[in-house]
Amino acid sequence: MKTERRKRFSIQLMLTIGILVAVSVLLISGVLYIYFGKRLDQEFRNQIAARKGQAELILSRRFVQIKRQLQDLSTDNAIRVTLLLDAPAQLQDRLARFYAPVNGLSFYVRKAAAPLVSPTHSEQFVDALLNTPPGELPAPEGETSPLVWWFEIPITSNEARLGTAYVRYDLSGDQELIGRLQQLVLGDILVRTPQGLSSLIGDGAFELDDKVLARASGTAALPLGSGDRRILKLDGYADLYFLFSSEDLVREKLRISLFIGLFTLAVLTFSAGLAIFLGQQMATPLRKMAQKAIYISRGEKNLAFETRPGDYWEIAELSKAFDSMLRNLKAAEEKSRYKELLENVDDAVYLVDIRGRILDANEASYSRLGYSQAEFLALPLPALMAPADAEQVLEALDAAGGRQGRRTVETWHLKADGSPLPVEIKVRPIDYRGERVLLSVARDVSERKEAELALRESEERFRSVVENSHEGFLIIDDTFRVVYANPEFCQVVGYPAQDLKGGDVAKLLTEENLRLVKENFLGSLRGDRVPTHYELDVQRRDGEIRRVTVSATIIKDLTGRQQVVAQVLD
């Protein structure tokens, strides 16, 4: 007979875990390398853009400074006077003292309608200054410079043009600016010359085809040679480029690659050991199920037998069978426990879900209202009470856990004949069959409502009699403060009712009479026999003393506190 060959659980487990972990780790490593690589590229681009921007800012500030110096020269009153007086010697002396050539700057002044240029230079330079368009000015005495700017500004006095001020700026001769660039900008500035590119800060020179150089821009780096050097065009300057090296970026990427490689190797090694360990533990699911079965036999019900896709058939079927049996057992016990609880209380008890449906109820819930059990369970909560009260009850499920979800609502239940039954409902959230529901305990408060109504009617009748009585009535509490005084008593003492209420009764009595009242009150509390009728002297608001007859009775208010009701005859 041919026997079916079954897969070995341990081997399949090791292979599956090993393959899954290896694929996952390699995928994660690839994603990490791409992510960190892009992040490093972006950070490096931001760093280079900042350094390039620093260089542009330094150059821009230098040109602003030069233009400000030229402006100062054009407004120099001494220069204006020498031009008005046609004094070239004094003009040259002024320029030599205050506008001497320094850091690549050379200043010149030409009087209007005259060929004079101070300081004096060769005829060739003067001719070039007067006839050469801006941007093509040669260096003095025929010298050449790779990078020269020149600016001019009129010199005026009372709107009359006296002459023109010129400044020639040779960037390659500005050692102060070059030193600042070298100190603050981590890179080099290249100057375009007919021979190629020459370094402004260092001594290097590079040959680069003009067509290739034309592709350089301020944002896209252009490779310079076969190394890791790159150039960016400085914005606003036709022949200036920023030189930087990507060596740091390459080194950082190499470091990240090494780190990710070591991480991948460590995880793969760990996953291989884990797969071997799990393969050796292939009997663990069966042991766990056996252990859970033992716990169930001892009364433990808060367990679950989980199944996963790919589980072996025997284990999956056993888990499903145990889990189904456990759920049925828990549901039966829970239903029995709640049923016993519901049927052994006199108040109406019912369970309501979040949608307002009544899930279960004891007999007191529907019998007092004239419903059958089926009719009561079919009622939605808003049909059993006022919709606003039903909404307030259901809001307890949205409240936070613990006692914050509990609340008490006074409302009514609608009987089957349409008449209302006053009830006080206490609700709290509970777990019932895996669902969050409300346990509602409703108590019939009809007798209490009738007693409260009778008490209010009695109080209204008492108040009506006292308010219209021709005798004074005064009620004081156990701290001897006035609780109530009727109009007749107010007339006797001369005080309005609002001035008496809450005030100390001592202001109405002499010291001797106050002591008598307190002794009689305290004696009544002790159970002593004290007179209920006696005469007192009361002091009116205007200071007049009147003799009155008092009949006092001790009563209790709704809170149980002692009060004295005194009938006063003038």
Side-chain angles (χ1 to χ4, degrees):
M1 182 177 179
K2 185 178 180 181
T3 59
E4 182 181 358
R5 294 187 61 185
R6 294 188 177 274
K7 296 181 290 185
R8 293 181 64 87
F9 180 72
S10 58
I11 296 177
Q12 290 295 322
L13 183 61
M14 285 189 293
L15 290 176
T16 302
I17 293 178
I19 293 173
L20 288 177
V21 172
V23 172
S24 300
V25 170
L26 292 175
L27 180 61
I28 292 173
S29 299
V31 172
L32 287 176
Y33 179 78
I34 294 173
Y35 169 75
F36 284 111
K38 289 185 177 180
R39 184 171 178 177
L40 287 174
D41 287 338
Q42 184 61 44
E43 291 179 355
F44 184 74
R45 283 195 296 269
N46 294 341
Q47 182 183 16
I48 293 303
R51 287 156 57 182
K52 170 177 167 288
Q54 181 72 12
E56 292 170 347
L57 181 62
I58 292 173
L59 290 171
S60 176
R61 288 178 176 175
R62 179 56 172 157
F63 279 107
V64 170
Q65 182 184 16
I66 292 171
K67 292 177 181 178
R68 188 179 298 116
Q69 289 180 277
L70 185 62
Q71 180 69 32
D72 293 341
L73 189 152
S74 69
T75 58
D76 189 329
N77 288 327
I79 299 294
R80 291 174 176 174
V81 170
T82 57
L83 291 175
L84 286 171
L85 298 178
D86 195 12
Q90 288 81 357
L91 175 60
Q92 291 186 23
D93 181 63
R94 181 70 178 179
L95 291 175
R97 290 177 59 190
F98 296 98
Y99 302 97
V102 63
N103 287 324
L105 289 177
S106 300
F107 292 94
Y108 309 98
V109 174
R110 180 174 69 89
K111 186 176 179 181
L116 174 64
V117 174
S118 295
T120 57
H121 288 281
S122 66
E123 294 182 1
Q124 293 84 352
F125 175 74
V126 173
D127 183 65
L129 176 64
L130 299 179
N131 300 297
T132 305
E136 299 179 6
L137 185 68
E141 310 306 331
E143 296 178 359
T144 59
S145 178
L147 200 58
V148 174
W149 283 266
W150 71 289
F151 306 95
E152 65 179 53
I153 188 171
I155 302 174
T156 61
S157 176
N158 296 327
E159 299 184 358
R161 183 161 182 166
L162 303 178
T164 305
Y166 301 91
V167 61
R168 174 186 179 278
Y169 177 55
D170 184 357
L171 178 60
S172 62
D174 193 345
Q175 297 304 318
E176 181 180 344
L177 176 68
I178 293 174
R180 190 179 302 114
L181 288 171
Q182 188 173 9
Q183 180 182 4
L184 299 179
V185 179
L186 300 178
D188 199 352
I189 304 299
L190 299 183
V191 181
R192 184 176 182 180
T193 65
Q195 293 77 26
L197 294 174
S198 62
S199 172
L200 181 65
I201 298 176
D203 299 326
F206 308 93
E207 294 184 2
L208 197 63
D209 186 78
D210 288 343
K211 294 182 179 180
V212 177
L213 193 60
R215 298 202 304 267
S217 67
T219 56
L222 186 68
L224 187 62
S226 58
D228 52 15
R229 288 173 296 187
R230 303 285 188 272
I231 60 171
L232 287 170
K233 191 174 185 301
L234 291 183
D235 296 332
Y237 305 96
D239 297 320
L240 294 182
Y241 300 86
F242 179 68
L243 173 66
F244 63 94
S245 173
S246 60
E247 181 180 353
D248 292 340
L249 176 62
V250 174
R251 188 185 304 112
E252 190 65 20
K253 283 188 175 182
L254 181 61
R255 190 178 68 85
I256 292 295
S257 301
L258 180 60
F259 174 78
I260 293 177
L262 292 175
F263 168 77
T264 303
L265 180 61
V267 174
L268 288 175
T269 303
F270 173 78
S271 62
L274 181 63
I276 295 173
F277 172 77
L278 292 178
Q280 294 173 350
Q281 302 297 322
M282 61 180 180
T284 300
L286 294 176
R287 287 201 299 267
K288 287 183 177 180
M289 276 190 284
Q291 190 66 38
K292 288 180 180 179
I294 294 173
Y295 287 152
I296 293 172
S297 66
R298 294 174 180 175
E300 177 64 46
K301 302 299 187 300
N302 294 323
L303 301 171
F305 293 86
E306 300 175 351
T307 60
R308 298 173 298 176
D311 281 347
Y312 286 87
W313 185 85
E314 292 82 1
I315 297 176
E317 290 301 311
L318 281 174
S319 296
K320 290 178 182 178
F322 275 117
D323 200 47
S324 177
M325 179 182 66
L326 184 59
R327 284 199 305 270
N328 294 335
L329 181 61
K330 288 169 64 177
E333 288 188 355
E334 189 176 58
K335 184 174 182 180
S336 176
R337 183 173 68 253
Y338 279 112
K339 198 68 177 177
E340 183 178 359
L341 174 65
L342 295 176
E343 296 300 338
N344 284 279
V345 294
D346 295 330
D347 294 329
V349 182
Y350 51 90
L351 301 174
V352 183
D353 67 8
I354 188 63
R355 293 177 291 277
R357 297 182 306 177
I358 301 175
L359 304 177
D360 204 352
N362 65 349
E363 184 178 358
S365 300
Y366 51 84
S367 61
R368 293 177 184 176
L369 301 178
Y371 293 105
S372 66
Q373 183 181 19
E375 291 172 339
F376 186 78
L377 295 178
L379 289 174
L381 195 62
L384 185 61
M385 62 183 69
D389 294 336
E391 184 177 351
Q392 186 178 359
V393 168
L394 292 176
E395 284 176 355
L397 273 179
D398 297 329
R403 298 189 59 86
Q404 296 181 7
R406 301 181 182 184
R407 60 184 60 191
T408 301
V409 179
E410 284 198 12
T411 182
W412 44 262
H413 280 167
L414 190 64
K415 294 183 178 181
D417 59 8
S419 60
L421 175 67
V423 292
E424 179 186 77
I425 305 177
K426 294 183 181 295
V427 296
R428 60 170 295 181
I430 63 170
D431 291 319
Y432 176 74
R433 298 184 182 178
E435 183 181 3
R436 198 68 171 163
V437 301
L438 282 176
L439 174 65
S440 304
V441 180
R443 176 161 294 178
D444 185 354
V445 293
S446 300
E447 294 182 359
R448 191 184 76 187
K449 293 292 185 181
E450 292 173 358
E452 291 175 354
L453 178 61
L455 179 60
R456 285 197 298 270
E457 292 177 350
S458 176
E459 289 177 349
E460 291 297 328
R461 286 195 298 271
F462 173 77
R463 184 177 294 275
S464 176
V465 170
V466 170
E467 291 287 342
N468 294 288
S469 174
H470 294 292
E471 298 177 351
F473 280 90
L474 177 68
I475 302 177
I476 60 176
D477 61 16
D478 53 4
T479 63
F480 300 100
R481 293 194 174 275
V482 177
V483 177
Y484 170 77
N486 74 337
E488 184 64 25
F489 182 82
C490 293
Q491 186 175 359
V492 170
V493 297
Y495 285 95
Q498 61 268 24
D499 290 351
L500 292 175
K501 188 173 183 180
D504 196 337
V505 76
K507 69 179 180 180
L508 304 176
L509 301 173
T510 64
E511 184 177 349
E512 182 180 352
N513 290 158
L514 178 61
R515 185 169 57 253
L516 176 62
V517 170
K518 290 184 176 181
E519 288 176 354
N520 289 341
F521 180 73
L522 295 175
S524 298
L525 294 181
R526 292 192 301 267
D528 300 341
R529 293 181 61 85
V530 297
T532 59
H533 295 78
Y534 42 87
E535 292 185 353
L536 296 174
D537 291 330
V538 296
Q539 184 173 352
R540 287 173 48 83
R541 186 176 188 178
D542 57 9
E544 179 186 353
I545 303 297
R546 284 195 180 184
R547 192 73 174 177
V548 296
T549 302
V550 177
S551 177
T553 305
I554 304 296
I555 65 171
K556 290 185 178 180
D557 64 6
L558 293 176
T559 64
R561 295 180 63 181
Q562 302 280 356
Q563 291 183 338
V564 177
V565 179
Q567 183 180 2
V568 181
L569 297 176
D570 188 1

